[in-house]
Amino acid sequence: MAASDNRQVNTKVIAVSDSSALAKAAAERVMTRIVANGGRVAICLTGGSSPKQLYRLLATDAWRSRIPWNRVHWFIGDERFVPADDPLNNMAMARLAFLDLCAPACNIHPIQTDTGSPEQAAFHYESELQSFYGADQLDPARPLFDLVLMGVGPDGHTASLFPDYPAVEETERWVVGVPKAHVEPFVPRVTLTLPALGSCREMLFEVSGPDKRAILTRMLDGENLPASRARSMGETIWLVDTAALPEDFSGQ
Ligand code: 6PG
């Protein structure tokens, strides 16, 4: 495993050999964040394919037995506006992979998609987050989440914050509706905003496979993309496997 500081302040790149090492390293970070907080822990999950291996790993005996499930709460950073049992639903994927096997139902916090519109779903989830947090303003001294998991899309989006969409510039709202996606699946989305996602002790990107190399190169070059703007008020880590790492990555 090689670690280096990226050109971006407070962002660290950790390189691992392959996708299974990446899932294991991510699971270790999940555990570290849980152990660091002896009280109620809040973890914000992500959708897409990148975290699936991590989620399945957490459900295996070796990891499952280490997690104090009763005190860990699981949120989701963005949702596709499809029914809760649709295979495209991000929380459905996480539930199937590990949450329904391990976590108390009351600790699972999906974005409701049976509301009339993505915007209504966003207001609903924002008020759920605010009630969990106990305030409607984020306090820089008190992060909303212990850990936020993230992925990056081929266009540099993260969560459902797509390049040049107004949602990326949102500074007040915690959650917004996104009427149309920039990439597949082309369904409306609901997404946490950069301030809400950034209110965390650690933001952990999982970046895996050769298809991610081009976008990772652009991010490492400091291009202004939603994924490069997503930053924790604490630590931001890009966990990257060698297939995704640019060939000329020096480890700076
Ligand atoms: C979603 C995600 C999205 C995802 C990236 C990466 O709803 O699709 O939350 O932001 O993390 O698109 O997706 P992959 O892991 O599938 O490459």
Side-chain angles (χ1 to χ4, degrees):
M1 184 185 290
S4 75
D5 282 327
N6 178 8
R7 277 164 240 176
Q8 302 189 36
V9 184
N10 293 334
T11 298
K12 188 196 277 180
V13 178
I14 299 179
V16 295
S17 54
D18 54 24
S19 63
S20 101
L22 191 139
K24 189 160 173 286
E28 290 289 2
R29 299 206 71 88
V30 169
M31 273 320 301
T32 302
R33 285 294 158 189
I34 292 173
V35 170
N37 178 353
R40 189 182 65 165
V41 177
I43 297 183
C44 186
L45 300 171
T46 184
S49 55
S50 308
K52 281 186 187 169
Q53 214 169 335
L54 163 67
Y55 295 168
R56 291 192 193 114
L57 190 61
L58 294 176
T60 59
D61 286 345
W63 292 91
R64 185 179 176 163
S65 58
R66 292 171 62 191
I67 297 176
W69 294 97
N70 283 337
R71 62 180 186 85
V72 185
H73 288 255
W74 307 91
F75 295 86
I76 190 89
D78 75 310
E79 193 52 272
R80 290 100 180 256
F81 200 68
V82 295
D85 58 357
D86 188 302
L88 287 177
N89 188 284
N90 285 335
M91 194 56 120
M93 180 274 285
R95 294 187 89 120
L96 189 66
F98 80 114
L99 290 176
D100 283 350
L101 306 167
C102 309
C106 56
N107 288 10
I108 305 172
H109 303 266
I111 292 176
Q112 302 297 339
T113 52
D114 55 0
T115 53
S117 68
E119 201 47 26
Q120 277 174 307
F123 276 114
H124 192 276
Y125 205 54
E126 182 167 275
S127 71
E128 179 166 351
L129 283 169
Q130 291 177 346
S131 134
F132 181 87
Y133 184 66
D136 59 9
Q137 293 294 320
L138 291 165
D139 176 352
R142 189 169 68 86
L144 171 59
F145 300 114
D146 292 275
L147 177 66
V148 171
L149 297 175
M150 300 280 253
V152 56
D155 56 350
H157 80 262
T158 192
S160 285
L161 297 167
F162 301 104
D164 304 323
Y165 277 37
V168 189
E169 306 304 331
E170 180 60 48
T171 55
E172 298 300 321
R173 299 274 308 278
W174 296 20
V175 190
V176 294
V178 178
K180 193 167 166 251
H182 191 240
V183 295
E184 283 188 351
F186 293 104
V187 294
R189 313 286 186 102
V190 180
T191 187
L192 270 63
T193 57
L194 289 176
L197 291 164
S199 179
C200 61
R201 297 185 193 284
E202 176 174 331
M203 180 179 282
L204 180 65
F205 280 87
E206 282 188 86
V207 188
S208 172
D211 292 352
K212 293 289 159 80
R213 187 176 281 176
I215 191 62
L216 187 63
T217 305
R218 290 170 60 192
M219 287 171 64
L220 289 169
D221 282 346
E223 197 173 321
N224 182 5
L225 295 163
S228 19
R229 287 175 60 184
R231 210 70 55 78
S232 166
M233 56 201 261
E235 271 189 287
T236 304
I237 294 173
W238 296 350
L239 202 49
V240 180
D241 72 6
T242 41
L245 211 56
E247 269 161 27
D248 63 351
F249 181 71
S250 58
Q252 298 147 34

